[in-house]
Amino acid sequence: MSDVDLDRGPFWFGGAGIGNLLREVTDDQARATVDAAWEVGVRGFDTAPHYGVGLSERRLGDALAGRPRGEYAISTKVGRRLVPGPGDGVDDDGFAVPNDPVRQWDPTADGVRRSLDESLGRLGLDHVDIAYLHDPDVYDLSAGLTQALPALAALRDEGVVRAVGVGSNSVAALTDAVATGLCDVVMLAGRYTLLEQPAAELVARCADLGVDVVAVGVYNSGLLSRPLPAADTTYDYAPAPAQLVERARALAAVCSRHGVTLPEAALAFPRRAPAVRAVAVGAQSAEQVRENAARAAAAVPEALWQDLRAEGLLTA
């Protein structure tokens, strides 16, 4: 179990959005978004070099500059180093930024250390609380778990970071990562949500082993983000299949009977698992942050979960 206090307000702030995920936001909008998170009591912040090829880290560091360092926790990620790119177009990995720099997979111990040092430079900090190996399954899971993760564990043992783990949307990859015995915490993206729980066995295993879980992607990238899902909504950043839209609408109908909105239930669900110590939620505006804070504060009755199970809409 991590010795980092993961209970940092209503949720952790997910920094992909202020790295221009899918669309551009200005520096002022990014700053206002982080300021709003602080104002609603958020004291945990997650980012990564991947998010806008360094833009999220720089913006988050600027926004947190001057805040008391002991009052918040911050996590970033390693595995993707940033190297000079062609500069002749836009990023091809979902962020509205130029393609300079670009990402380069580097699971070596030297690469991990250099990645973390470069992140600290962009953040303007002398340490982060948690360092995750980011999406090793996208590149080379074996190299990630035999090279990069032990290198992170060495940094933890040296006191450079307080906790280490792996972040991924692959249940298989995180299961293998937990089996190494090196993880204090895992960041589980989109696989333990109100919509679907393919990671239920992994979450239970983490509880048994004392590995903390931070759940992200709790809205399944859009499908659960509105009280009544629209036909043209998204799931995993692609158009949602019709059967999943129907399932989300069925979930929404049960929620409505209990005076709860679908997004409120989506935020509340993961925290019911003992291993899930925090939920991270991204935002690209101050309004979205405040909306998520209101959702997180909503009371969700136990009877809702009972009815969802009775109707076959919830298995975990």
Side-chain angles (χ1 to χ4, degrees), residues 1-2 4 6-7 12 130 132 164-168 174-175 178 183-193 199-216 218 270-280:
M1 178 177 292
S2 165
V4 177
L6 293 175
D7 188 9
W12 276 56
I130 305 171
Y132 296 101
V164 302
V166 177
S168 176
L174 292 181
T175 299
V178 168
C183 292
D184 305 300
V185 56
V186 294
M187 180 168 275
L188 173 61
R191 297 296 170 264
Y192 191 74
T193 72
E201 184 176 342
L202 167 64
V203 171
R205 180 65 173 154
C206 286
D208 291 341
L209 295 175
V211 176
D212 293 330
V213 177
V214 176
V216 301
V218 296
R271 289 297 299 268
R272 293 174 54 77
V276 177
R277 296 279 309 286
V279 171

Side-chain angles (χ1 to χ4, degrees), residues 76-156:
T76 192
K77 306 178 183 76
V78 302
R80 294 173 170 104
R81 288 198 56 232
L82 303 184
V83 299
D88 57 359
V90 296
D91 177 61
D92 62 359
D93 212 348
F95 293 87
V97 293
N99 60 346
D100 184 24
V102 295
R103 305 162 188 83
Q104 181 180 82
W105 166 245
D106 188 346
T108 65
D110 179 65
V112 166
R113 288 177 179 269
R114 291 174 65 185
S115 176
L116 184 57
D117 285 344
E118 291 160 3
S119 288
L120 291 173
R122 288 186 291 268
L123 288 164
L125 297 173
D126 61 6
H127 74 283
V128 295
D129 299 277
I130 305 171
Y132 296 101
L133 175 61
H134 201 183
D135 294 336
D137 51 290
V138 173
Y139 300 96
D140 184 337
L141 181 60
S142 177
L145 299 187
T146 60
Q147 298 181 55
L149 187 55
L152 275 180
L155 290 172
R156 177 195 58 203

